[in-house]
C-alpha cells in the first residue's frame, strides 16, 4: 500500500475542478530531454533571445539549426503513461484540463482536448508579421534544403517556431485562461516542472492561495515544495499509473456490482 498515492487518488476522486500543470519532466519518459537536468538542452545549446532573433540574421540561422536538431528529438516521440492518464482523466470528467509549459504536443497526441500551451507549440511555425501558421516539419525541410530562414508564403515576413522564446511575452488569452482555471481549481497537480520559470510557476501559487490543494510530483526539490499539501520526489510515470489504479470508478461509469 502506498499512502501518498492513495491520498492523491482520494483527492482526485473527490475533486470537482482539478487542474493538471505539466513541465518538461512529464516528457522525459518519452525520450525528450528536459532543460535543467544533466544532459538537458541547456548543457548543450545557448538559447537565442527573441530580440536577438528579430534583428540578427546570424542568430536566425543558428536558431533554425538548433530547432532542426531538437525537432528530431520529439518528431517520433510518443506519449507515455502520464500523458495517457491525463487524457483518460479528462474524458472521464475527473480533470478540467492540462496547463502545460511543454511545446512537444504530446498531451494532444495522447488525446487531451483541453490543453493550455503557455509556451506555444514546436509543431507549428508562425509568421511574426501576419500570424499565418505552418507545419513545422515542412518548414524545417525547407530550411534544410535552402539553408535560409523560411519566409512567410503569404506576406514574406520572418517566420519562427510558434513557441515562446526567452524575452517574448506569453499569449495573453492563454495565460488569462490558465489563471482562471488555477483560481477556480480545488486540486492542482504540478507535475514534472522545476517551477522556476515565471509566470508559469506563479500558477500553483495562485491555485493554492485561492483554496486549492497543491500536489507536486517532481524528482528534484522545487521552490514551492513548502507550500504544497503533498510532495512526491519520484518518477512520474509509475506514480500516475499507481494513482490511476487506485481511483474510484469514474463519475458516470457503470457501477460494478459489489455482491459477493
Ligand atoms: P525543467 O527542465 O526546468 O524541469 C523539469 C523537472 O522535471 C526537473 O526538475 C526534473 O527533476 C524533473 N523530472 C524530469 N524527468 C522526471 C521524471 N521522469 N520523473 C520525475 N521528475 C522528473 O522543465 P520546466 O519546469 O518545464 O521548465 C521550463 C521550460 O522548459 C519550459 O519553458 C518548456 O517550454 C521548456 N521545455 C519543454 C520541453 C518539452 O516540450 N518536452 C523540453 C525541454 C524544455
Ligand atoms: Zn506572413
Amino acid at each position: 500500500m502506498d499512502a501518498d498515492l492513495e491520498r492523491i487518488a482520494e483527492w482526485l476522486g473527490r475533486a470537482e475542478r482539478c487542474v493538471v500543470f505539466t513541465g518538461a519532466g512529464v516528457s522525459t519518459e518519452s525520450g525528450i530531454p528536459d532543460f535543467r537536468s544533466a544532459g538537458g538542452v541547456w548543457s548543450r545549446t545557448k538559447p537565442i533571445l527573441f530580440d536577438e532573433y528579430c534583428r540578427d540574421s546570424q542568430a536566425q540561422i543558428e536558431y533554425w539549426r538548433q530547432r532542426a536538431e531538437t525537432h528530431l528529438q520529439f518528431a517520433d516521440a510518443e506519449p507515455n503513461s502520464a500523458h495517457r492518464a491525463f487524457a483518460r482523466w479528462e474524458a472521464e470528467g475527473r480533470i478540467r484540463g492540462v496547463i502545460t509549459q511543454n511545446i512537444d504536443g504530446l498531451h494532444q497526441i495522447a488525446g487531451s482536448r483541453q490543453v493550455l500551451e503557455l509556451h506555444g507549440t514546436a509543431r507549428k511555425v508562425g509568421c511574426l508579421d501576419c500570424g499565418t501558421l505552418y507545419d513545422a516539419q515542412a518548414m524545417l525541410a525547407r530550411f534544410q534544403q535552402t539553408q535560409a530562414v523560411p519566409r512567410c508564403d503569404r506576406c514574406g515576413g520572418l517566420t519562427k517556431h510558434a513557441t515562446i522564446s526567452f524575452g517574448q511575452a506569453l499569449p495573453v488569452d492563454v495565460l488569462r485562461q490558465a489563471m482562471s482555471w488555477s483560481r477556480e481549481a480545488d486540486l492542482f497537480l504540478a507535475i514534472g516542472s522545476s517551477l522556476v520559470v515565471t509566470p508559469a510557476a506563479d500558477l500553483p501559487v495562485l491555485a493554492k492561495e485561492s483554496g486549492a490543494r497543491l500536489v507536486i510530483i517532481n524528482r528534484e526539490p522545487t521552490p514551492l515544495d513548502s507550500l504544497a499539501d503533498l510532495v512526491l520526489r519520484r518518477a512520474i510515470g509509475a506514480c500516475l499509473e499507481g494513482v490511476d489504479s487506485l481511483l474510484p470508478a469514474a463519475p458516470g461509469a457503470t457501477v460494478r456490482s459489489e455482491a459477493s
Side-chain angles (χ1 to χ4, degrees), residues 23-25 27-29 32-37 41 101-104 119 192-195 197 218-220 234-236:
S27 293
T28 56
E29 292 175 34
I32 303 175
D34 59 15
F35 263 7
R36 290 172 182 78
S37 301
V41 178
Q101 299 170 87
N102 295 346
I103 54 175
D104 55 37
H119 296 162
S193 172
S194 56
L195 300 175
V197 180
N218 202 59
R219 210 155 44 197
E220 291 166 309
R234 315 197 204 165
I236 293 162

Side-chain angles (χ1 to χ4, degrees), residues 152-172:
C152 174
D153 289 337
R154 185 174 289 173
C155 78
L158 180 61
T159 66
K160 186 184 120 357
H161 276 65
T163 54
I164 308 304
S165 295
F166 287 94
Q168 190 177 7
L170 266 65
V172 176

Side-chain angles (χ1 to χ4, degrees), residues 88-176:
R88 201 162 50 245
W89 294 350
E90 182 191 328
E92 292 171 349
R94 298 182 190 279
I95 63 170
R96 183 166 187 179
V98 178
I99 302 172
T100 189
Q101 299 170 87
N102 295 346
I103 54 175
D104 55 37
L106 290 183
H107 286 300
Q108 292 91 331
I109 293 173
S112 284
R113 287 160 185 264
Q114 296 299 317
V115 183
L116 300 179
E117 293 178 307
L118 292 174
H119 296 162
T121 175
R123 302 230 170 228
K124 297 263 186 261
V125 162
C127 171
L128 292 176
D129 290 336
C130 76
T132 302
L133 290 172
Y134 299 90
D135 176 62
Q137 188 123 27
M139 288 306 238
L140 278 162
R142 212 193 271 189
F143 170 72
Q144 279 163 331
Q145 276 158 17
T146 61
Q147 291 299 305
V149 173
R151 309 300 298 200
C152 174
D153 289 337
R154 185 174 289 173
C155 78
L158 180 61
T159 66
K160 186 184 120 357
H161 276 65
T163 54
I164 308 304
S165 295
F166 287 94
Q168 190 177 7
L170 266 65
V172 176
D173 49 339
V174 178
L175 183 60
R176 196 173 289 146

Side-chain angles (χ1 to χ4, degrees), residues 53-104:
Y53 183 80
C54 292
R55 61 180 155 73
D56 179 351
S57 58
Q58 281 310 311
Q60 290 162 13
I61 298 280
E62 171 58 15
Y63 173 92
W64 278 81
R65 197 196 56 72
Q66 289 180 9
R67 292 286 84 73
E69 198 180 298
T70 48
H71 191 78
L72 295 176
Q73 282 166 0
F74 74 76
D76 298 324
E78 288 181 9
N80 60 51
S81 56
H83 298 105
R84 288 195 297 271
F86 305 141
R88 201 162 50 245
W89 294 350
E90 182 191 328
E92 292 171 349
R94 298 182 190 279
I95 63 170
R96 183 166 187 179
V98 178
I99 302 172
T100 189
Q101 299 170 87
N102 295 346
I103 54 175
D104 55 37

